[in-house]
Amino acid sequence: MPTSAPNSNVETLLKVSGLSAGYGKIGVLNGIDLTVGAGEIVALLGPNGAGKSTLLKAISGLLPRTGTITFGGQDMSKAGPREAVNAGLVHVVEGHRVFTQLSVHDNVMLAGYGMKGSELETRVEEALRFFPEIAEKRNDRAVTLSGGQQQMLAVAQGLVRRPRLLMLDEPSAGLSPVLVDRVLAAAAQLRDAGTAVLLVEQLIEKALKLADRVYALARGSIVLEARTSEDDLPNRLEHAYFGQDVSAPLAS
């Protein structure tokens, strides 16, 4: 299936071609082609077990993979997590991975390990401004935060690096509707500030409302790609998940 590119006036930031990955001898992904444009939000949707989280891990270097990954014009096919982060590709993994016994401030500081003190403090304050709810609790231990606030903290940790592309894996998992909207609103703010977002999300309606383009993943392969402005997209996604015909032409 040909990969739909970002709008013609948008620079392609991430290009994945023929990517395959898995866990040991267990193959999960089969020849994935995907692009993300600079300052674009792309949603990656699909049923449980489709390989969405595996794809993000493969892109960020957390899993061995074959195929080609180009980021910002640089070949990242063999890059590990550290090289990815240094290039501006940051992956916020699923599940509120924060240090619960450290303060909110120290959690964000730790994410910027290796930066100079004055620069790091500037980055910490910049990241916390996206989430006033946790900025007010900067001296509280992370264990005292709600699940939604811990998710905000996890995203803030990723923002310290000023990523060119932020990959978010199920940021709404386990959150109340109000907190889901707050976390996803931060993704929209990031786009407005020029940061691209690759979003794995189960809440299809909210993801389609937020994103510019969407890929559907099922059984380890891309089964649909489209712009979110296209007609009848939710129905086409449902058909794609269950392996039915999705051959209707997509927007160029």
Side-chain angles (χ1 to χ4, degrees):
M1 176 181 293
T3 302
S4 65
N7 293 330
S8 58
N9 60 343
V10 175
E11 172 194 0
T12 297
L13 179 61
L14 173 71
K15 183 175 182 179
V16 175
S17 301
L19 186 146
S20 296
Y23 301 90
K25 295 181 179 180
I26 302 174
V28 176
L29 302 174
N30 306 298
I32 300 294
D33 295 337
L34 174 147
T35 64
V36 179
E40 181 182 41
I41 296 180
V42 174
L44 181 61
L45 307 178
N48 290 332
K52 303 183 298 296
S53 294
T54 300
L55 178 54
L56 296 195
K57 290 176 182 176
I59 292 172
S60 64
L62 291 173
L63 285 178
R65 70 280 196 193
T66 60
T68 303
I69 299 173
T70 304
F71 182 71
Q74 178 182 355
D75 184 3
M76 303 288 289
S77 305
K78 305 298 182 183
R82 179 174 295 182
E83 291 87 353
V85 169
N86 289 340
L89 195 165
V90 172
H91 179 191
V92 178
V93 299
E94 182 183 6
H96 314 160
R97 305 291 180 88
V98 300
F99 297 96
T100 56
Q101 296 308 309
L102 295 181
S103 70
V104 167
H105 181 269
D106 287 350
N107 262 277
V108 185
M109 288 280 286
L110 191 59
Y113 178 79
M115 295 181 189
K116 293 181 180 180
S118 58
E119 173 68 8
L120 177 54
E121 191 60 48
T122 298
R123 299 280 190 96
V124 168
E125 294 306 314
E126 184 179 276
L128 287 175
R129 278 198 295 271
F130 280 92
F131 301 106
E133 296 92 333
I134 63 171
E136 295 173 355
K137 299 175 179 288
R138 67 179 63 238
N139 296 320
D140 296 352
R141 289 189 302 168
V143 70
T144 67
L145 302 181
S146 69
Q149 290 169 339
Q150 287 190 20
Q151 182 64 70
M152 293 176 190
L153 179 54
V155 176
Q157 288 174 317
L159 296 181
V160 167
R161 295 285 176 174
R162 287 182 183 165
R164 300 170 68 189
L165 170 62
L166 184 68
M167 300 197 301
L168 297 176
D169 192 355
E170 297 280 10
S172 70
L175 304 189
S176 68
V178 171
L179 289 178
V180 168
D181 290 341
R182 184 67 192 89
V183 170
L184 295 183
Q189 288 180 271
L190 288 170
R191 172 178 52 194
D192 294 342
T195 299
V197 178
L198 179 56
L199 173 71
V200 168
E201 187 50 72
Q202 290 286 4
L203 300 176
I204 295 175
E205 183 177 346
K206 290 183 180 294
L208 295 182
K209 185 176 180 180
L210 176 68
D212 302 293
R213 290 187 301 120
V214 59
Y215 289 88
L217 191 66
R219 302 170 299 281
S221 299
I222 299 293
V223 292
L224 183 147
E225 51 189 304
R227 303 196 189 285
T228 53
S229 59
E230 294 182 29
D231 294 335
D232 199 30
L233 188 51
N235 185 55
R236 293 173 61 200
L237 283 166
E238 183 178 352
H239 280 243
Y241 288 0
F242 293 102
Q244 299 182 29
D245 181 25
V246 291
S247 58
L250 304 180
S252 60

